[in-house]
Amino acid sequence: MASTNAICNLCNQTILELLDFKLLLRYVTGFNQVELITKNEYELSQDELVKLNNLVARRQKGEPLHYILGYKEFYSREFRVTPDTLIPRPETELLVDKVLSIAIPNARLLDLGTGSGCIAVACKLENPNLDVVAVDKYSDTLEVACTNAIQLGAKIKCILSDWFSNVDGLFDVIVSNPPYIAHDDVHLGSLQFEPQHALTDNLDGFSHIKQIIRGSIAHLKKGGYLLFEHGFEQGEMSRKLLHNAGFIDIETIQDYASLDRITLGKYTLRNSNASSI
Ligand code: GLN
């Protein structure tokens, strides 16, 4: 019979969700998914056991699994994540899908508030013809994005910039997953481990979206697109803001839960002022 420190026994006794626990076990032992099954009588060393117990305790206190592991899968690639970056969400993959479907050949793409770089890097890897610029306001965050770009082999340009403050030139597509959660949204309570400045504007959730729309008018080529992620109750207002700013072909895309999640529009005017937003 396997001893109490054998993988199969530890899995039976865990207080965590089994999937989380198995990922922590893999992290500690270095085993892959198959080895975890074929070597399930493997007995953890004292060192491994101490390490595992520490990780389990962190997870129990609510620290997101992916900060503990240090990576999150997005668009079938592993992205490094740290407390300086949001953990990429599956619905954000829909932003990548949409960018890829609207980008003309050799399009210039700007990703605002890139965080881990997941949107910019995934777009570049899926379509190497794109000329991709990724910006973030925080240097520690931008460093994570650059590291991901290098490790995953995506040749993109990373710029330290507060939205458009250090951005030059015009783009065919501007994309963003901005901080859109309102300050009084109860949802924020469960996201305390993630960088708050990447989640909320501490206001009504629209201040950054408005800034991005205003800035896009000055940085989109004629016929270029702006698309951004937003909260499930922000679709109507997002469409209105784009309409008031002179965008056309405005559309809201729903996520896997059929909730409004992404709004986009095309900009065909030049020299429009954004006084109405
Ligand atoms: N989609 C994230 C969430 O609701 C928030 C991301 C963001 O504010 N940009 O958990």
Side-chain angles (χ1 to χ4, degrees):
M1 198 179 111
S3 95
T4 43
N5 291 345
I7 286 176
C8 51
N9 277 329
L10 294 172
C11 283
N12 281 337
Q13 290 158 15
T14 182
I15 36 177
L16 297 184
E17 295 241 356
L18 194 54
L19 186 63
D20 285 12
F21 186 70
K22 283 183 172 173
L23 283 167
L24 294 179
L25 260 177
R26 282 179 55 184
Y27 183 86
V28 167
T29 58
F31 289 173
N32 63 30
Q33 187 64 30
V34 174
E35 287 170 330
L36 209 60
I37 299 162
T38 55
K39 298 185 183 181
N40 75 353
E41 303 230 340
Y42 172 83
E43 213 175 305
L44 269 70
S45 69
Q46 268 313 309
D47 269 7
E48 287 172 328
L49 211 53
V50 169
K51 213 169 157 191
L52 180 69
N53 286 336
N54 283 337
L55 301 184
V56 168
R58 282 170 65 186
R59 183 72 194 101
Q60 259 194 298
K61 283 189 199 136
E63 188 171 345
L65 176 72
H66 296 284
Y67 284 150
I68 299 175
L69 298 174
Y71 72 88
K72 166 77 180 158
E73 192 183 305
F74 181 84
Y75 229 85
S76 307
R77 279 124 189 150
E78 276 183 11
F79 284 82
R80 177 172 154 67
V81 291
T82 74
D84 289 310
T85 72
L86 283 187
I87 297 168
R89 310 290 202 267
E91 54 269 26
T92 303
E93 294 185 336
L94 296 170
L95 258 185
V96 175
D97 289 342
K98 196 65 191 177
V99 169
L100 294 171
S101 73
I102 60 175
I104 56 170
N106 304 311
R108 285 201 83 209
L109 168 68
L110 174 65
D111 176 22
L112 293 168
T114 195
S116 65
C118 62
I119 298 170
V121 170
C123 287
K124 179 69 184 178
L125 292 176
E126 291 297 318
N127 182 355
N129 287 324
L130 295 177
D131 177 8
V132 182
V133 177
V135 310
D136 206 280
K137 182 180 172 185
Y138 300 94
S139 54
D140 289 345
T141 309
L142 197 66
E143 217 174 290
V144 179
C146 287
T147 306
N148 278 322
I150 292 165
Q151 280 183 351
L152 293 166
K155 289 205 173 98
I156 64 168
K157 194 166 172 188
C158 295
I159 298 177
L160 193 64
S161 178
D162 183 2
W163 300 130
F164 294 94
S165 66
N166 289 325
V167 172
D168 288 324
L170 297 177
F171 294 84
D172 298 283
V173 182
I174 298 177
V175 64
S176 185
N177 176 15
Y180 55 71
I181 302 180
H183 72 102
D184 55 355
D185 191 320
V186 286
H187 193 54
L188 274 179
S190 60
L191 301 172
Q192 57 199 308
F193 284 88
E194 296 190 78
Q196 296 301 295
H197 58 74
L199 291 166
T200 179
D201 58 358
N202 289 312
L203 295 164
D204 66 352
F206 277 104
S207 58
H208 292 300
I209 289 176
K210 287 179 182 170
Q211 243 182 295
I212 287 168
I213 294 175
R214 250 183 255 128
S216 293
I217 290 171
H219 287 89
L220 275 178
K221 291 183 190 169
K222 195 175 167 76
Y225 286 89
L226 166 64
L227 57 161
F228 55 89
E229 185 174 314
H230 52 69
F232 71 97
E233 291 170 322
Q234 294 174 323
E236 193 181 339
M237 183 64 166
S238 295
R239 290 192 296 276
K240 195 168 153 198
L241 290 170
L242 283 176
H243 175 80
N244 290 348
F247 283 77
I248 61 165
D249 295 349
I250 297 161
E251 182 191 346
T252 294
I253 297 169
Q254 297 184 327
D255 62 18
Y256 305 111
S258 302
L259 300 170
D260 284 358
R261 186 59 62 191
I262 291 165
T263 292
L264 67 148
K266 189 174 183 176
Y267 193 67
T268 54
L269 306 172
R270 290 242 52 91
N271 305 321
S272 160
N273 67 49
S275 56
S276 47
I277 61 167

